[in-house]
Amino acid sequence: MSDSKDVKGKGPSSNEPAQTNETPTDETPAAAEPSSKKHKLFGSKKEQDGADEGASGTKNKMSEKAAEMLLEKNPALKNEMAGLDREQAAAALRKMGLEELLTGLSLKGKNQKDMASYKFWQTQPVPHFNEKGKGEVADGPIKIIDPERVSREPDALIEGFEWATLDLSDEKELSELWDLLTNHYVEDDNAMFRLRYSQEFLHWALMSPGWKKEWHVGVRATKSRKLVASICGVPTEIRVRDQKLKVIEINFLCVHKKLRSKRLAPVLIKEVTRRCYLNGIYQAVYTAGVILPTPVSSCRYYHRALDWLKLYEVGFSPMPTGSTKARQIARNQLPSATSTPGLRPMEAKDIDAVRDLLDRYLQRFQLNQAFSREEIQHWLVNQVPTEAEQVVFSYVAEDSETHKITDFVSFYSLESTVIQNAKHKGVRTAYMYYYATETAFNADEKAYKERLLMLINDALILAKKARFDVFNALTIHDNPLFLEQLKFGAGDGQLHYYLYNYRASPVPGGVNERNLPDESKTGGVGIVML
Ligand SMILES: CC(C)(COP(=O)(O)OP(=O)(O)OC[C@H]1O[C@@H](n2cnc3c(N)ncnc32)[C@H](O)[C@@H]1OP(=O)(O)O)[C@@H](O)C(=O)NCCC(=O)NCCS
């Protein structure tokens, strides 16, 4: 089991201007070619330098020049190719289809090993790749666990290391976990940014209703007592179509950089699994930027610049060819005031109304979270007094006449360290969290979309006011309805959703075969993993 993110799609390649219906200018996709690492799609397949033979033809016949041009349009891939010699690069290209080359999928996904090479994962109760294509699979547990037969003892660790159970209510232990993650957690491929979860964030993410310290697993160096690895989980309930499951959400799988590639991750995964089994939890949900056997859904990161200039200065946003700083800043300008009538911060008194609205809304998605009242309170009501440290930002729209809560929107705060930059130390990122609106239940699709555009644009305005630099969203929920229109740019990060010990037929990830947001591919994922 692992957690999410591939630096949550962070990285300079991740701020492509959105595909909009605007009049083409130097800022529309056709001209907005990034400097180095951004990929994008423009034109139809036929317009791409003679590369109109179809994916299979292209695989074998692509000329060097065509390959070069294609790579120019997919800088994320180009960057990965830079580390390969000529032959390896040619072989990798042959493995990829034209569509993939054009739409910014990088090698990582394609680098998926065959099942036999997943030495650890092939031993786990997860669906194998080759189960795909056999048509509909019946949803259900893969292995029935007999708790009596679960080992009472953890597996042995390599010499010099020992298991630890972290007590995160102890500030010292919370700080130790924070320290490990701050220095060793998820980075982008170029080691320019590293996720930096605050201590308030870890408190919020790991001490949710029902949490147990047994599920906050660490590894310590026996002599120095230093914390060198972690894997954590919190319990919750999810729905996979019509089935409700008690699961653990796994996050913060991390191994100290000096201990990488020593097969510690599988041992951590097995240990947290053992501790879950002993506590009567037999399924898990987790996300990862890497391909493992086998995603139940795959989504893509999108990024909306709030402070374009800063993103440019730290190397996150490239300058589109022919554009200027002034134009980019103007393009990403937002109104100063919100538009949704009655929009205000969510308070404790709104918990029941938000729960009712959100629960109905989330059931529109095949994979969704079934929040209890306590969870709504924990996850959505801000408990932190200062805005600088605030983790979750939630807002409701209250009808002035009926006082009914008609809309709800939220985002959470997660900084990234800028690893080497003289001017900026960090990027403040707002991540789209849960939202819901009564208009979703009307038959009028157009009104729903318009309401969503207003609500999410307001979330951008509020995030900007709270000094966030960028707003990230995945192609989950109904996000494909607003991403491009609200000027979110395609990232190069994919996020794969996984279920442990549960087989489920695939759930749409909001993107089409060209890896672009597609309104007809919504209705799949309704869970946000931190
Ligand atoms: C992810 C991480 C813990 C893996 O550790 P590692 O030392 O590179 O790998 P190990 O030698 O211990 O283990 C390799 C096994 O773990 C699997 N693995 C690697 N990353 C994984 C992930 N994110 N989730 C689950 N399994 C993962 C590999 O597929 C491999 O198993 P296989 O033989 O079945 O293919 C480590 O690279 C790390 O801390 N990275 C930074 C933080 C991070 O990315 N965390 C995961 C976020 S999704």
Side-chain angles (χ1 to χ4, degrees), residues 467-519:
R467 296 179 302 100
F468 285 94
D469 304 315
V470 57
F471 198 108
N472 286 359
L474 283 157
T475 51
I476 61 172
H477 289 134
D478 275 342
N479 298 0
L481 266 58
F482 62 75
L483 288 173
E484 295 181 332
Q485 227 165 311
L486 294 183
K487 300 181 182 161
F488 282 78
D492 58 2
Q494 291 286 120
L495 189 68
H496 307 284
Y497 278 73
Y498 299 94
L499 296 172
Y500 186 88
N501 196 16
Y502 200 82
R503 181 175 279 114
S505 50
V507 159
V511 283
N512 57 24
E513 58 288 349
R514 307 175 95 194
N515 205 21
L516 291 171
D518 189 329
E519 294 182 19

Short mmCIF file of all heavy atoms in Angstrom, two decimals, residues 467-519:
data_model
loop_
_atom_site.label_atom_id
_atom_site.label_comp_id
_atom_site.label_asym_id
_atom_site.label_seq_id
_atom_site.Cartn_x
_atom_site.Cartn_y
_atom_site.Cartn_z
N ARG A 467 -3.51 33.94 0.09
CA ARG A 467 -2.10 33.97 -0.33
C ARG A 467 -1.57 32.65 -0.84
O ARG A 467 -0.39 32.32 -0.69
CB ARG A 467 -1.20 34.51 0.79
CG ARG A 467 -1.48 35.97 1.18
CD ARG A 467 -0.59 36.44 2.30
NE ARG A 467 -0.74 35.60 3.49
CZ ARG A 467 0.09 34.64 3.85
NH1 ARG A 467 1.16 34.36 3.14
NH2 ARG A 467 -0.13 33.94 4.94
N PHE A 468 -2.43 31.86 -1.44
CA PHE A 468 -1.92 30.65 -2.10
C PHE A 468 -1.35 31.04 -3.46
O PHE A 468 -1.80 32.00 -4.09
CB PHE A 468 -3.04 29.62 -2.26
CG PHE A 468 -3.38 28.93 -0.96
CD1 PHE A 468 -4.40 29.40 -0.15
CD2 PHE A 468 -2.62 27.87 -0.52
CE1 PHE A 468 -4.68 28.81 1.07
CE2 PHE A 468 -2.89 27.26 0.70
CZ PHE A 468 -3.92 27.73 1.50
N ASP A 469 -0.35 30.27 -3.90
CA ASP A 469 0.31 30.57 -5.16
C ASP A 469 -0.28 29.81 -6.32
O ASP A 469 -0.23 30.23 -7.47
CB ASP A 469 1.81 30.20 -5.07
CG ASP A 469 2.48 30.92 -3.91
OD1 ASP A 469 2.23 32.14 -3.76
OD2 ASP A 469 3.24 30.27 -3.17
N VAL A 470 -0.82 28.63 -6.02
CA VAL A 470 -1.35 27.78 -7.09
C VAL A 470 -2.47 26.94 -6.50
O VAL A 470 -2.49 26.66 -5.30
CB VAL A 470 -0.23 26.91 -7.73
CG1 VAL A 470 0.48 26.04 -6.71
CG2 VAL A 470 -0.73 26.05 -8.88
N PHE A 471 -3.42 26.56 -7.36
CA PHE A 471 -4.57 25.76 -6.92
C PHE A 471 -4.55 24.48 -7.75
O PHE A 471 -4.59 24.52 -8.98
CB PHE A 471 -5.84 26.57 -7.20
CG PHE A 471 -7.06 26.09 -6.44
CD1 PHE A 471 -7.58 26.82 -5.38
CD2 PHE A 471 -7.71 24.92 -6.81
CE1 PHE A 471 -8.71 26.39 -4.68
CE2 PHE A 471 -8.83 24.48 -6.13
CZ PHE A 471 -9.34 25.22 -5.06
N ASN A 472 -4.45 23.35 -7.09
CA ASN A 472 -4.37 22.06 -7.79
C ASN A 472 -5.70 21.33 -7.73
O ASN A 472 -6.40 21.39 -6.72
CB ASN A 472 -3.34 21.13 -7.13
CG ASN A 472 -1.91 21.54 -7.40
OD1 ASN A 472 -1.67 22.52 -8.11
ND2 ASN A 472 -0.97 20.81 -6.86
N ALA A 473 -6.01 20.62 -8.78
CA ALA A 473 -7.20 19.77 -8.78
C ALA A 473 -6.94 18.57 -9.67
O ALA A 473 -6.18 18.65 -10.63
CB ALA A 473 -8.41 20.54 -9.29
N LEU A 474 -7.55 17.48 -9.32
CA LEU A 474 -7.47 16.28 -10.16
C LEU A 474 -8.67 16.24 -11.10
O LEU A 474 -9.59 17.06 -10.98
CB LEU A 474 -7.49 15.04 -9.26
CG LEU A 474 -6.18 14.73 -8.53
CD1 LEU A 474 -6.44 13.89 -7.29
CD2 LEU A 474 -5.23 14.00 -9.48
N THR A 475 -8.67 15.25 -11.96
CA THR A 475 -9.82 15.11 -12.87
C THR A 475 -10.94 14.27 -12.22
O THR A 475 -11.75 13.68 -12.92
CB THR A 475 -9.39 14.47 -14.20
OG1 THR A 475 -8.65 13.27 -13.90
CG2 THR A 475 -8.52 15.40 -15.01
N ILE A 476 -10.94 14.21 -10.88
CA ILE A 476 -11.97 13.44 -10.16
C ILE A 476 -13.26 14.27 -10.04
O ILE A 476 -13.35 15.36 -10.59
CB ILE A 476 -11.47 12.99 -8.78
CG1 ILE A 476 -11.14 14.19 -7.90
CG2 ILE A 476 -10.25 12.10 -8.93
CD1 ILE A 476 -10.82 13.82 -6.46
N HIS A 477 -14.21 13.75 -9.28
CA HIS A 477 -15.51 14.42 -9.08
C HIS A 477 -16.05 14.89 -10.43
O HIS A 477 -15.87 14.23 -11.44
CB HIS A 477 -15.37 15.58 -8.09
CG HIS A 477 -15.15 15.11 -6.67
ND1 HIS A 477 -14.20 15.62 -5.84
CD2 HIS A 477 -15.77 14.14 -5.95
CE1 HIS A 477 -14.24 15.00 -4.67
NE2 HIS A 477 -15.18 14.09 -4.72
N ASP A 478 -16.67 16.07 -10.43
CA ASP A 478 -17.12 16.61 -11.72
C ASP A 478 -16.15 17.69 -12.20
O ASP A 478 -16.52 18.58 -12.98
CB ASP A 478 -18.55 17.16 -11.59
CG ASP A 478 -19.58 16.04 -11.80
OD1 ASP A 478 -19.21 14.98 -12.35
OD2 ASP A 478 -20.74 16.22 -11.41
N ASN A 479 -14.89 17.59 -11.77
CA ASN A 479 -13.91 18.63 -12.13
C ASN A 479 -13.75 18.85 -13.64
O ASN A 479 -13.48 19.98 -14.05
CB ASN A 479 -12.56 18.33 -11.48
CG ASN A 479 -12.64 18.32 -9.96
OD1 ASN A 479 -13.72 18.54 -9.39
ND2 ASN A 479 -11.54 18.05 -9.29
N PRO A 480 -13.89 17.80 -14.48
CA PRO A 480 -13.76 18.08 -15.92
C PRO A 480 -14.77 19.11 -16.43
O PRO A 480 -14.60 19.68 -17.50
CB PRO A 480 -14.00 16.70 -16.56
CG PRO A 480 -13.49 15.74 -15.54
CD PRO A 480 -13.94 16.34 -14.21
N LEU A 481 -15.80 19.40 -15.65
CA LEU A 481 -16.79 20.40 -16.09
C LEU A 481 -16.24 21.83 -15.99
O LEU A 481 -16.78 22.74 -16.59
CB LEU A 481 -18.06 20.30 -15.23
CG LEU A 481 -19.21 19.44 -15.75
CD1 LEU A 481 -18.79 18.01 -15.98
CD2 LEU A 481 -20.39 19.47 -14.78
N PHE A 482 -15.18 22.02 -15.18
CA PHE A 482 -14.72 23.41 -15.03
C PHE A 482 -13.22 23.61 -15.27
O PHE A 482 -12.77 24.73 -15.43
CB PHE A 482 -15.10 23.95 -13.65
CG PHE A 482 -14.49 23.20 -12.49
CD1 PHE A 482 -13.15 23.36 -12.15
CD2 PHE A 482 -15.26 22.35 -11.70
CE1 PHE A 482 -12.59 22.67 -11.08
CE2 PHE A 482 -14.70 21.65 -10.63
CZ PHE A 482 -13.36 21.82 -10.32
N LEU A 483 -12.43 22.54 -15.28
CA LEU A 483 -10.96 22.72 -15.28
C LEU A 483 -10.47 23.65 -16.39
O LEU A 483 -9.74 24.61 -16.15
CB LEU A 483 -10.27 21.36 -15.41
CG LEU A 483 -10.34 20.46 -14.16
CD1 LEU A 483 -9.78 19.08 -14.47
CD2 LEU A 483 -9.59 21.08 -13.00
N GLU A 484 -10.87 23.35 -17.60
CA GLU A 484 -10.30 24.10 -18.72
C GLU A 484 -10.84 25.52 -18.76
O GLU A 484 -10.10 26.48 -18.97
CB GLU A 484 -10.55 23.34 -20.02
CG GLU A 484 -9.79 22.01 -19.98
CD GLU A 484 -9.93 21.16 -21.21
OE1 GLU A 484 -10.98 21.26 -21.88
OE2 GLU A 484 -9.00 20.39 -21.51
N GLN A 485 -12.13 25.65 -18.50
CA GLN A 485 -12.72 26.99 -18.55
C GLN A 485 -12.16 27.91 -17.47
O GLN A 485 -12.06 29.11 -17.66
CB GLN A 485 -14.24 26.89 -18.40
CG GLN A 485 -14.95 27.73 -19.42
CD GLN A 485 -16.41 27.35 -19.49
OE1 GLN A 485 -16.74 26.17 -19.59
NE2 GLN A 485 -17.28 28.34 -19.40
N LEU A 486 -11.79 27.34 -16.35
CA LEU A 486 -11.26 28.18 -15.27
C LEU A 486 -9.73 28.29 -15.33
O LEU A 486 -9.09 28.69 -14.37
CB LEU A 486 -11.72 27.66 -13.90
CG LEU A 486 -13.23 27.76 -13.64
CD1 LEU A 486 -13.57 27.29 -12.22
CD2 LEU A 486 -13.75 29.17 -13.86
N LYS A 487 -9.17 27.93 -16.49
CA LYS A 487 -7.74 28.12 -16.76
C LYS A 487 -6.81 27.26 -15.90
O LYS A 487 -5.72 27.70 -15.52
CB LYS A 487 -7.36 29.59 -16.65
CG LYS A 487 -8.11 30.46 -17.62
CD LYS A 487 -7.69 31.89 -17.51
CE LYS A 487 -8.50 32.72 -18.47
NZ LYS A 487 -8.50 34.13 -18.16
N PHE A 488 -7.27 26.10 -15.59
CA PHE A 488 -6.36 25.12 -15.01
C PHE A 488 -5.54 24.55 -16.17
O PHE A 488 -6.08 24.29 -17.25
CB PHE A 488 -7.12 23.96 -14.37
CG PHE A 488 -7.72 24.25 -13.01
CD1 PHE A 488 -8.88 24.98 -12.88
CD2 PHE A 488 -7.11 23.77 -11.86
CE1 PHE A 488 -9.44 25.23 -11.63
CE2 PHE A 488 -7.66 24.00 -10.60
CZ PHE A 488 -8.82 24.74 -10.49
N GLY A 489 -4.25 24.36 -15.94
CA GLY A 489 -3.39 23.78 -16.97
C GLY A 489 -3.09 22.33 -16.64
O GLY A 489 -2.99 21.94 -15.47
N ALA A 490 -2.90 21.53 -17.68
CA ALA A 490 -2.64 20.10 -17.48
C ALA A 490 -1.28 19.88 -16.84
O ALA A 490 -0.29 20.48 -17.24
CB ALA A 490 -2.69 19.39 -18.83
N GLY A 491 -1.24 19.04 -15.85
CA GLY A 491 0.02 18.69 -15.22
C GLY A 491 0.58 17.41 -15.83
O GLY A 491 -0.11 16.74 -16.60
N ASP A 492 1.81 17.07 -15.47
CA ASP A 492 2.33 15.80 -15.97
C ASP A 492 2.17 14.70 -14.93
O ASP A 492 2.64 13.59 -15.09
CB ASP A 492 3.78 15.91 -16.43
CG ASP A 492 4.69 16.39 -15.32
OD1 ASP A 492 4.20 16.59 -14.20
OD2 ASP A 492 5.89 16.57 -15.58
N GLY A 493 1.52 15.03 -13.83
CA GLY A 493 1.33 14.01 -12.80
C GLY A 493 0.04 13.23 -13.00
O GLY A 493 -1.02 13.82 -13.26
N GLN A 494 0.18 11.91 -12.94
CA GLN A 494 -1.01 11.05 -12.92
C GLN A 494 -1.19 10.63 -11.48
O GLN A 494 -0.23 10.51 -10.73
CB GLN A 494 -0.75 9.78 -13.73
CG GLN A 494 -0.62 9.98 -15.22
CD GLN A 494 -1.96 10.27 -15.88
OE1 GLN A 494 -2.13 11.32 -16.48
NE2 GLN A 494 -2.91 9.38 -15.75
N LEU A 495 -2.39 10.40 -11.08
CA LEU A 495 -2.61 9.81 -9.76
C LEU A 495 -3.49 8.58 -9.94
O LEU A 495 -4.57 8.65 -10.50
CB LEU A 495 -3.28 10.82 -8.80
CG LEU A 495 -3.32 10.30 -7.37
CD1 LEU A 495 -1.93 10.22 -6.75
CD2 LEU A 495 -4.21 11.17 -6.49
N HIS A 496 -2.94 7.46 -9.47
CA HIS A 496 -3.67 6.20 -9.61
C HIS A 496 -4.31 5.85 -8.28
O HIS A 496 -3.66 5.96 -7.23
CB HIS A 496 -2.71 5.08 -10.05
CG HIS A 496 -1.94 5.45 -11.28
ND1 HIS A 496 -2.48 5.44 -12.54
CD2 HIS A 496 -0.67 5.89 -11.42
CE1 HIS A 496 -1.57 5.83 -13.42
NE2 HIS A 496 -0.47 6.12 -12.76
N TYR A 497 -5.56 5.41 -8.34
CA TYR A 497 -6.28 4.99 -7.14
C TYR A 497 -6.25 3.47 -7.07
O TYR A 497 -6.45 2.79 -8.09
CB TYR A 497 -7.74 5.45 -7.20
CG TYR A 497 -7.93 6.89 -6.78
CD1 TYR A 497 -7.53 7.94 -7.59
CD2 TYR A 497 -8.52 7.19 -5.54
CE1 TYR A 497 -7.71 9.26 -7.19
CE2 TYR A 497 -8.70 8.51 -5.14
CZ TYR A 497 -8.29 9.54 -5.97
OH TYR A 497 -8.46 10.84 -5.58
N TYR A 498 -6.01 2.95 -5.85
CA TYR A 498 -5.93 1.50 -5.65
C TYR A 498 -6.81 1.06 -4.49
O TYR A 498 -6.98 1.80 -3.51
CB TYR A 498 -4.49 1.10 -5.31
CG TYR A 498 -3.48 1.43 -6.39
CD1 TYR A 498 -2.76 2.63 -6.35
CD2 TYR A 498 -3.26 0.55 -7.44
CE1 TYR A 498 -1.84 2.94 -7.35
CE2 TYR A 498 -2.34 0.86 -8.45
CZ TYR A 498 -1.65 2.05 -8.39
OH TYR A 498 -0.74 2.34 -9.38
N LEU A 499 -7.30 -0.16 -4.60
CA LEU A 499 -7.98 -0.81 -3.48
C LEU A 499 -7.17 -2.04 -3.12
O LEU A 499 -6.71 -2.77 -4.01
CB LEU A 499 -9.40 -1.22 -3.89
CG LEU A 499 -10.34 -0.07 -4.24
CD1 LEU A 499 -11.64 -0.61 -4.82
CD2 LEU A 499 -10.62 0.81 -3.03
N TYR A 500 -6.99 -2.27 -1.85
CA TYR A 500 -6.23 -3.44 -1.38
C TYR A 500 -7.23 -4.50 -0.94
O TYR A 500 -8.17 -4.22 -0.20
CB TYR A 500 -5.34 -3.03 -0.21
CG TYR A 500 -4.40 -4.12 0.26
CD1 TYR A 500 -3.15 -4.30 -0.31
CD2 TYR A 500 -4.76 -4.97 1.31
CE1 TYR A 500 -2.28 -5.28 0.13
CE2 TYR A 500 -3.90 -5.97 1.77
CZ TYR A 500 -2.66 -6.11 1.17
OH TYR A 500 -1.80 -7.09 1.61
N ASN A 501 -6.99 -5.72 -1.39
CA ASN A 501 -7.87 -6.85 -1.08
C ASN A 501 -9.32 -6.60 -1.49
O ASN A 501 -10.25 -6.96 -0.77
CB ASN A 501 -7.78 -7.24 0.41
CG ASN A 501 -8.38 -8.62 0.64
OD1 ASN A 501 -8.58 -9.40 -0.30
ND2 ASN A 501 -8.71 -8.92 1.89
N TYR A 502 -9.47 -5.95 -2.61
CA TYR A 502 -10.82 -5.75 -3.15
C TYR A 502 -10.72 -5.64 -4.67
O TYR A 502 -9.93 -4.85 -5.19
CB TYR A 502 -11.46 -4.49 -2.57
CG TYR A 502 -12.96 -4.50 -2.71
CD1 TYR A 502 -13.76 -5.19 -1.79
CD2 TYR A 502 -13.59 -3.85 -3.77
CE1 TYR A 502 -15.14 -5.23 -1.92
CE2 TYR A 502 -14.97 -3.88 -3.90
CZ TYR A 502 -15.74 -4.57 -2.97
OH TYR A 502 -17.10 -4.62 -3.10
N ARG A 503 -11.49 -6.47 -5.33
CA ARG A 503 -11.50 -6.43 -6.80
C ARG A 503 -12.72 -5.61 -7.23
O ARG A 503 -13.83 -5.85 -6.73
CB ARG A 503 -11.62 -7.86 -7.32
CG ARG A 503 -11.63 -8.00 -8.81
CD ARG A 503 -11.63 -9.47 -9.20
NE ARG A 503 -10.30 -10.07 -9.16
CZ ARG A 503 -9.92 -11.03 -8.33
NH1 ARG A 503 -10.77 -11.51 -7.44
NH2 ARG A 503 -8.70 -11.51 -8.38
N ALA A 504 -12.47 -4.65 -8.09
CA ALA A 504 -13.60 -3.83 -8.57
C ALA A 504 -13.36 -3.52 -10.04
O ALA A 504 -12.21 -3.26 -10.44
CB ALA A 504 -13.70 -2.54 -7.78
N SER A 505 -14.41 -3.54 -10.82
CA SER A 505 -14.21 -3.17 -12.22
C SER A 505 -13.84 -1.69 -12.28
O SER A 505 -14.18 -0.91 -11.38
CB SER A 505 -15.44 -3.50 -13.06
OG SER A 505 -16.58 -2.99 -12.45
N PRO A 506 -13.12 -1.30 -13.32
CA PRO A 506 -12.54 0.05 -13.36
C PRO A 506 -13.58 1.17 -13.23
O PRO A 506 -14.72 1.03 -13.64
CB PRO A 506 -11.87 0.11 -14.72
CG PRO A 506 -11.71 -1.29 -15.16
CD PRO A 506 -12.80 -2.08 -14.51
N VAL A 507 -13.09 2.25 -12.66
CA VAL A 507 -13.91 3.43 -12.41
C VAL A 507 -13.33 4.56 -13.27
O VAL A 507 -12.10 4.72 -13.29
CB VAL A 507 -13.80 3.75 -10.89
CG1 VAL A 507 -14.15 5.15 -10.56
CG2 VAL A 507 -14.59 2.74 -10.07
N PRO A 508 -14.16 5.33 -13.98
CA PRO A 508 -13.58 6.38 -14.84
C PRO A 508 -12.82 7.44 -14.04
O PRO A 508 -13.20 7.76 -12.91
CB PRO A 508 -14.81 7.01 -15.53
CG PRO A 508 -16.01 6.34 -14.99
CD PRO A 508 -15.61 5.25 -14.07
N GLY A 509 -11.74 7.95 -14.65
CA GLY A 509 -10.90 8.92 -13.94
C GLY A 509 -11.04 10.34 -14.47
O GLY A 509 -10.20 11.19 -14.19
N GLY A 510 -12.12 10.60 -15.23
CA GLY A 510 -12.36 11.97 -15.68
C GLY A 510 -11.56 12.37 -16.91
O GLY A 510 -11.66 13.51 -17.38
N VAL A 511 -10.71 11.45 -17.40
CA VAL A 511 -9.94 11.77 -18.61
C VAL A 511 -10.26 10.74 -19.70
O VAL A 511 -10.63 9.61 -19.41
CB VAL A 511 -8.41 11.74 -18.36
CG1 VAL A 511 -7.94 12.98 -17.64
CG2 VAL A 511 -7.99 10.49 -17.60
N ASN A 512 -10.06 11.18 -20.93
CA ASN A 512 -10.30 10.27 -22.05
C ASN A 512 -8.99 9.60 -22.48
O ASN A 512 -7.96 9.75 -21.81
CB ASN A 512 -10.97 11.02 -23.22
CG ASN A 512 -10.13 12.21 -23.67
OD1 ASN A 512 -8.92 12.23 -23.47
ND2 ASN A 512 -10.77 13.19 -24.27
N GLU A 513 -9.04 8.91 -23.61
CA GLU A 513 -7.85 8.17 -24.03
C GLU A 513 -6.71 9.10 -24.42
O GLU A 513 -5.56 8.68 -24.51
CB GLU A 513 -8.18 7.18 -25.16
CG GLU A 513 -8.77 7.73 -26.41
CD GLU A 513 -10.23 8.20 -26.25
OE1 GLU A 513 -10.89 7.94 -25.24
OE2 GLU A 513 -10.68 8.89 -27.18
N ARG A 514 -7.01 10.39 -24.58
CA ARG A 514 -5.93 11.34 -24.84
C ARG A 514 -5.46 12.00 -23.55
O ARG A 514 -4.74 12.99 -23.56
CB ARG A 514 -6.40 12.40 -25.84
CG ARG A 514 -6.98 11.77 -27.09
CD ARG A 514 -7.54 12.82 -28.00
NE ARG A 514 -6.56 13.20 -28.98
CZ ARG A 514 -6.65 14.27 -29.76
NH1 ARG A 514 -7.67 15.09 -29.62
NH2 ARG A 514 -5.73 14.52 -30.64
N ASN A 515 -5.92 11.48 -22.44
CA ASN A 515 -5.54 11.99 -21.12
C ASN A 515 -6.01 13.42 -20.88
O ASN A 515 -5.38 14.19 -20.16
CB ASN A 515 -4.01 11.89 -20.93
CG ASN A 515 -3.62 11.82 -19.47
OD1 ASN A 515 -4.46 11.45 -18.61
ND2 ASN A 515 -2.40 12.16 -19.15
N LEU A 516 -7.12 13.78 -21.51
CA LEU A 516 -7.67 15.13 -21.33
C LEU A 516 -9.00 15.03 -20.60
O LEU A 516 -9.72 14.04 -20.74
CB LEU A 516 -7.88 15.79 -22.70
CG LEU A 516 -6.58 16.14 -23.41
CD1 LEU A 516 -6.85 16.59 -24.85
CD2 LEU A 516 -5.82 17.22 -22.64
N PRO A 517 -9.34 16.07 -19.84
CA PRO A 517 -10.60 16.04 -19.09
C PRO A 517 -11.78 15.82 -20.03
O PRO A 517 -11.82 16.41 -21.11
CB PRO A 517 -10.69 17.43 -18.46
CG PRO A 517 -9.34 18.01 -18.57
CD PRO A 517 -8.64 17.35 -19.71
N ASP A 518 -12.68 14.97 -19.62
CA ASP A 518 -13.78 14.61 -20.50
C ASP A 518 -15.05 14.48 -19.67
O ASP A 518 -15.12 13.66 -18.74
CB ASP A 518 -13.44 13.27 -21.19
CG ASP A 518 -14.42 12.91 -22.28
OD1 ASP A 518 -15.61 13.29 -22.17
OD2 ASP A 518 -14.01 12.24 -23.24
N GLU A 519 -16.03 15.31 -20.01
CA GLU A 519 -17.27 15.33 -19.21
C GLU A 519 -17.97 13.98 -19.24
O GLU A 519 -18.70 13.64 -18.31
CB GLU A 519 -18.19 16.43 -19.72
CG GLU A 519 -17.60 17.81 -19.49
CD GLU A 519 -18.50 18.95 -19.92
OE1 GLU A 519 -19.73 18.73 -20.07
OE2 GLU A 519 -17.97 20.06 -20.09
#
